Amino acid sequence: MTISAHPSLENTEHPITFPDRANNFEPDATNLDTAGIFPAPAKAVSTDSAVDVLNFAIQAVEAGRQVALCTLVEIRGGSSRSLGAHMTVADDGLYCGYVSGGCTEAAVAAEAIQAISKGHDRFVMLGEGSPFFDIVLPCGGGVTVAVHILREIRPIRQVMQGLHCRRRTGLSYNPGSQSLSFVSGKADAGWNGEVFLTSYRPAVRILLSGRTLEVEIAAKVAQAAGYEILRYDAAVGEVTDETLIDADTAVALLQHDLELEIPVLDAALRAHPFYLGALGSTRTHEKRMQRLRDLGHSQALIDSIKAPIGLFGHTRDARSLALSVIADIAACRQAALSAG
């Protein structure tokens, strides 16, 4: 078995009604009167992965920097990012992450740098309803970003540890006490009374079974998309470890040997991944289903297998099949997130 890990995170967008908290913003960080007083914002890393953004926060704190965690806490109209999207900004001006499509990040970083210097959290409104008339979001909507000065890095470390163990985690931000706390388990992004909750899910893991050209190319496509890859080759005696298959795992069988794939399917059906697909014709799938029924699996469970695999239906070349499979997995992931 080979493993390629690429951290990923999904946040589910929830429309909210945002009360008078946004009146707490201080827009003078972008005024010309303060130009030159604070470090100029500069992008350190281009990423929209919350895992990468939180890691950047930990590394900056460990390097002795003061750090602000900026979180998208309100969406008015359209938005290019989901509720709970993050930026991390250090007091030297370096930042990473996105709370919009790239058009407001420098302004948010400037606000964060000034908030750090003053020692107080703040809210920043941008786009529709904002005092920054010269910052217009392309989507025509507006956003509010909470700028929190990290006074305690432990909650973020707990989030990272939980995700490493493939557990759902969250952060709870209380603007009244200007504090951040760790949340174990599910915590959908949104306001819960006076606190804002952000949810983190483990990285999407894709188990690819087989030793084919299709597996080779699918692994490259999935890796480029930031997914964690497990590769099994039953032909060399590898045994599927069903403990590595969870609700954030997709299983794709891209091999041409029914005998080799049955043990993988057997393990996957017991572990309940969010996606399970297998390559093969209608006749092959009929034989596959009978073998699985003989092993005691119900027809309802067997029907969860996507066969033929992929989003595009039948394909005749490895590249198209790889794109079809990874796109199908991404679509099922989004559907699962939308369903909660």
Side-chain angles (χ1 to χ4, degrees):
M1 176 186 69
T2 43
I3 302 177
S4 301
H6 284 261
S8 173
L9 164 123
E10 302 287 348
N11 279 320
T12 305
E13 181 176 320
H14 294 272
I16 65 168
T17 301
F18 196 73
D20 291 336
R21 301 180 183 90
N23 293 332
N24 192 30
F25 68 84
E26 298 178 54
D28 53 343
T30 52
N31 289 347
L32 291 177
D33 293 341
T34 60
I37 298 177
F38 301 105
K43 185 187 299 182
V45 181
S46 184
T47 178
D48 65 356
S49 163
V51 170
D52 293 338
V53 175
L54 295 179
N55 264 328
F56 183 82
I58 293 172
Q59 293 167 5
V61 169
E62 289 176 344
R65 312 306 316 188
Q66 288 184 287
V67 175
L69 181 66
C70 307
T71 305
L72 178 59
V73 297
E74 182 201 17
I75 297 171
R76 302 181 298 281
S79 173
S80 56
R81 302 290 166 186
S82 298
L83 206 62
H86 288 311
M87 285 177 60
T88 289
V89 184
D91 60 355
D92 59 357
L94 293 179
Y95 70 89
C96 77
Y98 289 87
V99 292
S100 72
C103 52
T104 66
E105 278 65 24
V108 172
E111 287 283 341
I113 292 166
Q114 191 184 36
I116 291 171
S117 73
K118 290 190 174 184
H120 296 287
D121 292 3
R122 61 176 60 183
F123 291 98
V124 181
M125 292 179 67
L126 297 164
E128 182 186 47
S130 167
F132 300 125
F133 64 90
D134 56 340
I135 299 178
V136 179
L137 274 64
C139 58
V143 299
T144 302
V145 178
V147 178
H148 168 61
I149 303 167
L150 288 176
R151 300 167 179 85
E152 172 59 65
I153 198 65
R154 185 167 178 266
I156 293 180
R157 292 188 188 278
Q158 290 176 298
V159 166
M160 300 302 292
Q161 182 179 6
L163 292 176
H164 178 73
C165 296
R166 297 194 65 78
R167 296 194 300 266
R168 293 188 66 173
T169 60
L171 287 173
S172 174
Y173 171 58
N174 188 326
S177 61
Q178 300 187 63
S179 62
L180 201 64
S181 58
F182 171 73
V183 177
S184 178
K186 182 179 178 180
D188 291 336
W191 286 98
N192 182 8
E194 292 301 310
V195 301
F196 184 85
L197 299 174
T198 306
S199 178
Y200 310 97
R201 297 186 67 144
V204 172
R205 171 181 284 171
I206 301 180
L207 187 155
L208 295 169
S209 179
R211 184 171 52 177
T212 61
L213 177 61
E214 290 85 355
V215 168
E216 295 290 334
I217 298 178
K220 293 177 182 178
V221 173
Q223 192 170 11
Y227 296 147
E228 180 181 306
I229 311 301
L230 302 180
R231 292 176 59 177
Y232 278 94
D233 184 2
V236 297
E238 291 183 341
V239 179
T240 306
D241 183 356
E242 66 182 79
T243 64
L244 296 178
I245 303 173
D246 55 29
D248 295 289
T249 300
V251 178
L253 292 95
L254 305 178
Q255 52 199 53
H256 305 277
D257 190 320
L258 190 61
E259 295 300 321
L260 293 177
E261 73 173 30
I262 289 298
V264 182
L265 283 169
D266 183 36
L269 287 172
R270 289 196 301 267
H272 304 291
F274 76 87
Y275 180 94
L276 177 57
L279 192 66
S281 65
T282 300
R283 179 178 297 180
T284 297
H285 189 56
E286 288 174 353
K287 294 179 181 178
R288 177 186 294 134
M289 289 192 295
Q290 184 57 55
R291 292 288 299 276
L292 293 171
R293 283 192 292 267
D294 293 342
L295 290 173
H297 294 289
S298 68
Q299 188 61 48
L301 193 58
I302 294 170
D303 287 343
S304 67
I305 301 172
K306 182 70 177 291
I309 195 171
L311 191 65
F312 310 157
H314 293 288
T315 58
R316 296 291 184 181
D317 65 280
R319 289 180 177 84
S320 296
L321 178 64
L323 288 171
S324 178
V325 170
I326 303 307
D328 202 19
I329 290 171
C332 286
R333 173 69 166 187
Q334 288 302 310
L337 291 174
S338 299

